[in-house]
Amino acid sequence: MNIRTFLLIIAILFAGEYMTVMGQIVGNEGKTDKQIADSIRAEMDSRPYFSLYKDTYFVGGTVLGGVPDSHNSDVKFQISFQQRLTKSNLPWNTYLYLFYTQKAMWNVFERSLPFHDLNFNPGIGISRFIILKNRLVGKVTMMVEHESNGRDGTASRSWNKISWAGEAYVSPNLMAHAKFWIPIIDGQYNKDILKYMGVSQAGFQAISNDDKWVLDMTLVKRQGWNLNFNTIVQLGYRINHNSNQFIMLQYFNGYGESMLDYNQYHSRIRIGLLIRPKFFSDF
């Protein structure tokens, strides 16, 4: 049994009995489907405009399958947030969002502690929450994204994407997600980026019944018809029941962990602090 099959089994075990976290509105007896959908949208409209987007984390670690040293050991951190610009009064009850994610690779074990690479990923898009049979079952998002490392010369990396993302809330403990994009490659020195960072990804996030553990896996399909994936696995343990902070173990295997080294293979394990949304994360 390979690691991907093993992790899928764990996710199923994490999933609890079917119930609803966000979609079920207490006291819905006697209401029509439209009234219930309106109640769910009103609940979403009342949430803060500014919120976490993807996972925010600060982790450190080293290479797998080699001898750790100051060049292959580092700290990686990511900051990610979103700003909702509207309520659900746009056509088809959609929301307009601004998205921003920034990722850093920090060589803290080298002299002068230099940053190896900084990646900037702003975007704008519209999201629509899917409500079926009196519950929230998913979300779809279309966005325009830019990603680059803000450098010039031969170290410059840049591309743009028109992306479609979907999330399916299988249960309050399990969410499946998928995303694909049309790339617009404007970087002179990363014309072959699709061979390494692909055009689609898919994965899941599972939460334990006691809300203590969270497990997620994302597979990024590299270009080509063979089964070549970049794999990201994260396992987090909540520090305090009332907080959104976790101790996290993160595993990365493949290409494209940072824009500068998008065409270099890495296999690394890191541990540190994870801050994630109260519900499911975006990917």
Side-chain angles (χ1 to χ4, degrees):
M1 181 172 63
N2 60 34
I3 187 172
R4 290 168 187 158
T5 304
F6 173 72
L7 290 170
L8 182 58
I9 292 172
I10 291 177
I12 294 171
L13 292 175
F14 265 60
E17 294 298 323
Y18 182 85
M19 54 186 288
T20 304
V21 169
M22 292 184 68
Q24 188 69 47
I25 304 297
V26 177
N28 278 332
E29 293 80 0
K31 291 185 178 180
T32 66
D33 289 348
K34 182 179 184 305
Q35 288 173 325
I36 294 170
D38 288 344
S39 296
I40 295 173
R41 293 190 191 98
E43 166 66 18
M44 303 303 296
D45 286 348
S46 68
R47 293 179 176 270
Y49 280 83
F50 183 86
S51 60
L52 296 177
Y53 175 40
K54 300 178 182 180
D55 287 340
T56 290
Y57 56 76
F58 190 96
V59 292
T62 190
V63 66
L64 283 176
V67 179
D69 59 34
S70 61
H71 299 291
N72 59 26
S73 305
D74 62 7
V75 163
K76 172 185 174 184
F77 64 86
Q78 176 172 284
I79 300 169
S80 184
F81 57 84
Q82 60 187 2
Q83 174 72 19
R84 178 165 55 86
L85 300 177
T86 68
K87 293 187 177 183
S88 58
N89 48 14
L90 295 180
W92 305 291
N93 303 119
T94 55
Y95 298 85
L96 181 64
Y97 282 91
L98 285 176
F99 305 103
Y100 183 76
T101 301
Q102 182 171 316
K103 182 168 60 177
M105 315 300 291
W106 190 10
N107 291 344
V108 298
F109 301 105
E110 294 184 9
R111 189 175 180 180
S112 79
L113 284 68
F115 279 95
H116 178 67
D117 200 27
L118 290 172
N119 297 168
F120 308 93
N121 181 203
I124 186 170
I126 56 173
S127 294
R128 186 178 190 274
F129 291 96
I130 308 301
I131 302 168
L132 291 175
K133 296 182 178 179
N134 304 343
R135 64 180 294 266
L136 180 64
V137 299
K139 182 177 72 170
V140 291
T141 301
M142 185 183 75
M143 70 184 84
V144 179
E145 301 179 75
H146 170 79
E147 188 174 16
S148 65
N149 65 349
R151 302 175 71 167
D152 57 11
T154 58
S156 174
R157 306 284 187 266
S158 177
W159 68 334
N160 305 284
K161 295 183 284 187
I162 302 173
S163 305
W164 288 264
E167 300 174 1
Y169 308 135
V170 182
S171 82
N173 303 88
L174 183 63
M175 182 268 285
H177 61 88
K179 182 178 180 180
F180 70 95
W181 50 86
I182 298 174
I184 304 170
I185 303 171
D186 57 350
Q188 181 181 354
Y189 299 101
N190 53 265
K191 295 295 186 182
D192 61 346
I193 196 170
L194 299 185
K195 291 172 56 178
Y196 303 96
M197 298 181 71
V199 294
S200 64
Q201 67 181 44
F204 68 85
Q205 183 169 91
I207 303 169
S208 64
N209 286 331
D210 61 4
D211 213 25
K212 282 284 190 180
W213 294 89
V214 59
L215 170 71
D216 59 68
M217 182 172 75
T218 301
L219 300 177
V220 181
K221 178 64 179 73
R222 300 197 293 270
Q223 193 176 49
W225 294 106
N226 53 337
L227 296 178
N228 52 357
F229 296 93
N230 301 326
T231 304
I232 307 103
V233 180
Q234 298 182 161
L235 177 64
Y237 177 76
R238 189 185 297 273
I239 297 173
N240 182 284
H241 181 72
N242 295 320
S243 79
N244 63 347
Q245 301 175 48
F246 294 72
I247 298 297
M248 181 180 74
L249 185 68
Q250 183 190 75
Y251 168 71
F252 180 90
N253 181 275
Y255 296 86
E257 188 173 27
S258 71
M259 291 289 291
L260 181 64
D261 300 332
Y262 75 93
N263 57 0
Q264 297 182 26
Y265 172 80
H266 289 134
S267 182
R268 289 183 173 163
I269 189 83
R270 299 180 177 92
I271 189 169
L273 179 68
L274 164 69
I275 303 171
R276 58 175 301 273
K278 195 171 183 65
F279 192 43
F280 292 110
S281 301
D282 285 275
F283 292 87

